[in-house]
Amino acid sequence: MLLYLRLFKESFSFAINALTNNKLRTFLSLLGVTIGIFSIIAVLAAVDSLDRNIQDQLSGLDKNTMYLTKFSFGPTDVPRWQRDNFPQTEYGDFDFIRRNVPDIAASAYVIFGSPQTVRYGAETISGVDIIPVSNEIYEIENIKIEEGRFYTESESINGAPVIVLGHSIAENLFGNSNPIGKQIRVYGRRLTVIGVMKKMGAGMGGSPDDKGYVPANFVRRFQTGGVDGIPGAVIIKPEKGVDMGAFEGVLKQRFRVYRGLKAGEPDNFFVNKMSGFTDAIDGIIGTMNIMGWIISGFSLLVGGFGIANIMFVSVKERTNLIGIQKSLGAKNRFILFQFLFEAVILAVIGGLVGLFFVWIGSLIALQFTGDFEFVLSAGNMFLGFILSTLIGLISGVIPAISASRLDPVEAIRTGM
């Protein structure tokens, strides 16, 4: 054991000498390892951060939640011309579903709107995502209220001119003053602020802090006079423990009857499931990981060649010393491990530099990503260390074997 500790110490000394005596050569050779480790760990950290932030945003939403609408949220075999002729999902559809489909924990009707301008006094905010939706969305999305309240079922049905604001919108409009009870202008109409949501941070489809909720019937009343025909969807949250296949079958069957579809006629609506959406996200994240590994792998390959080059040069420069060591009784495995350790140490140094740059990059990213949490896990750091070690082993094994097989007499004579 003591022998191998001494061997490691000598190899570390040789590696440091290689770094200090041939700075430019070493720098260029280790650059590939540094870039490769930086690329892989940076990609893994970015993907992990994206995945964690997405999961945090979806944590309050049941994966069994369904969206019934004329649009498909993913790829579909239904032709575009046929989808364009599907009827809009109307408030009456929502009313039928909540009254006639069993095992529904909550359902809501939402209108697909466009960004609106919000005004209060001299303050104006453009491009605000105002969501017209019935009151049940409070339960489905697990909305958290910091001040005031969410609108009631009565206010939702009657289309009361009330609004619940995201944290950032309320802060920008009212500053430190209490927004509850104050009137703002949206859609060119006055609405009373009855609630402000808790600060949530960045999320999918924009931050909840930059959104606002109004009763869907309020928008229906002035946009269409109560007559449907505007793009909308029914959001359905099944009860826990329900057989999802059977529930979806009952939902489709009863809604087909409601729309007067005959046997053999295709559905003129889509039931989009959140579980499918999250599976698609997992697939995208997996693809991003694979692409990151492929791209970074080329850098690691170049880095491996660089380490191998250093080791071949090191063997050439120390041929005489190898001959002397072997003539004094050094065994082949001693020479083999000496150069292997040296290759690993060089690769690990390059890897540690790459990890250091990832760490610096994560600190910089935190300053520019705001509420987006950039995750640099200990697991990814350990993976970077293991990868750099493997690169050193793979790159150094052939030069080490060639060094260990040198004939001592020929080595001394060649090195003189």
Side-chain angles (χ1 to χ4, degrees):
M1 188 64 174
L2 185 62
L3 176 65
Y4 286 104
L5 288 175
R6 181 182 173 186
L7 176 60
F8 180 82
K9 180 181 177 182
E10 290 181 0
S11 300
F12 184 78
S13 177
F14 280 127
I16 296 301
N17 286 334
L19 285 171
T20 54
N21 295 336
N22 305 283
K23 296 182 179 63
L24 181 59
R25 184 183 72 188
T26 304
F27 170 77
L28 293 175
S29 300
L30 295 187
L31 190 60
V33 177
T34 299
I35 293 175
I37 296 297
F38 173 83
S39 301
I40 286 180
I41 304 306
V43 168
L44 291 178
V47 172
D48 286 350
S49 302
L50 180 62
D51 186 37
R52 181 173 297 187
N53 279 272
I54 289 174
Q55 295 304 326
D56 288 344
Q57 293 301 320
L58 295 178
S59 61
L61 191 63
D62 194 325
K63 289 187 177 181
N64 292 326
T65 301
M66 301 177 176
Y67 289 74
L68 188 147
T69 181
K70 69 171 288 184
F71 306 106
S72 174
F73 291 176
T76 176
D77 295 329
V78 181
R80 175 66 180 270
W81 66 267
Q82 191 173 342
R83 284 178 280 149
D84 289 343
N85 291 325
F86 284 177
Q88 296 287 1
T89 306
E90 303 175 347
Y91 188 83
D93 299 331
F94 157 68
D95 194 50
F96 170 81
I97 288 172
R98 70 172 178 170
R99 294 177 184 274
N100 294 278
V101 178
D103 300 322
I104 292 180
S107 60
Y109 178 69
V110 60
I111 294 173
F112 300 137
S114 57
Q116 301 294 322
T117 299
V118 180
R119 292 184 175 87
Y120 175 73
E123 298 294 334
T124 300
I125 305 176
S126 301
V128 179
D129 189 9
I130 301 296
I131 305 173
V133 63
S134 58
N135 65 293
E136 293 91 340
I137 196 66
Y138 177 78
E139 181 180 348
I140 294 174
E141 292 192 354
N142 193 24
I143 296 172
K144 296 178 174 59
I145 301 296
E146 184 175 69
E147 296 180 76
R149 60 179 177 84
F150 206 79
Y151 43 85
T152 64
E153 182 179 5
S154 175
E155 290 171 327
S156 178
I157 293 173
N158 294 325
V162 294
I163 186 169
V164 177
L165 295 175
H167 188 275
S168 296
I169 301 298
E171 191 175 62
N172 292 333
L173 286 177
F174 303 102
N176 295 325
S177 62
N178 185 6
I180 305 302
K182 293 191 170 62
Q183 290 190 330
I184 62 176
R185 294 190 71 86
V186 187
Y187 302 106
R189 288 165 170 77
R190 292 185 180 276
L191 288 90
T192 302
V193 179
I194 62 170
V196 176
M197 293 181 284
K198 287 185 178 179
K199 186 176 179 64
M200 298 295 292
M204 295 178 59
S207 171
D209 301 333
D210 299 324
K211 296 181 179 180
Y213 291 96
V214 298
N217 281 347
F218 169 74
V219 175
R220 289 178 64 238
R221 187 174 67 224
F222 71 79
Q223 281 195 350
T224 66
V227 179
D228 285 309
I230 51 180
V234 180
I235 307 175
I236 305 160
K237 179 182 179 181
E239 291 182 352
K240 291 184 177 179
V242 170
D243 185 316
M244 294 305 299
F247 177 84
E248 185 178 352
V250 171
L251 170 64
K252 288 184 175 181
Q253 188 271 331
R254 297 197 178 185
F255 195 62
R256 283 177 57 86
V257 172
Y258 172 74
R259 285 201 166 175
L261 296 174
K262 298 177 182 179
E265 289 185 320
D267 295 338
N268 58 3
F269 57 89
F270 291 100
V271 176
N272 302 283
K273 290 171 284 190
M274 280 300 299
S275 57
F277 180 63
T278 54
D279 289 344
I281 290 176
D282 290 340
I284 292 171
I285 289 176
T287 301
M288 291 172 61
N289 264 323
I290 293 173
M291 293 303 296
W293 275 95
I294 292 174
I295 295 171
S296 304
F298 286 106
S299 296
L300 288 176
L301 187 63
V302 173
F305 285 133
I307 296 293
N309 177 64
I310 285 182
M311 297 313 301
F312 276 120
V313 172
S314 182
V315 171
K316 186 70 175 176
E317 290 177 343
R318 287 153 50 190
T319 301
N320 184 51
L321 179 59
I322 295 170
I324 294 173
Q325 287 179 319
K326 298 192 76 172
S327 66
L328 293 176
K331 295 182 179 180
N332 287 352
R333 64 180 181 180
F334 180 88
I335 304 298
L336 176 71
F337 286 133
Q338 183 181 46
F339 282 93
L340 269 183
F341 283 163
E342 185 173 337
V344 169
I345 290 168
L346 289 171
V348 168
I349 290 173
L352 290 176
V353 174
L355 291 175
F356 174 75
F357 283 133
V358 174
W359 178 68
I360 294 296
S362 68
L363 295 180
I364 296 173
L366 287 174
Q367 305 300 318
F368 293 97
T369 54
D371 297 313
F372 183 87
E373 183 182 358
F374 191 87
V375 180
L376 182 58
S377 66
N380 284 337
M381 298 287 282
F382 181 72
L383 177 62
F385 177 80
I386 294 298
L387 282 175
S388 58
T389 302
L390 288 175
I391 292 169
L393 282 173
I394 296 171
S395 303
V397 65
I398 295 177
I401 291 174
S402 66
S404 66
R405 291 179 176 177
L406 286 174
D407 180 82
V409 175
E410 289 295 327
I412 293 174
R413 185 171 59 185
T414 304
M416 293 179 63

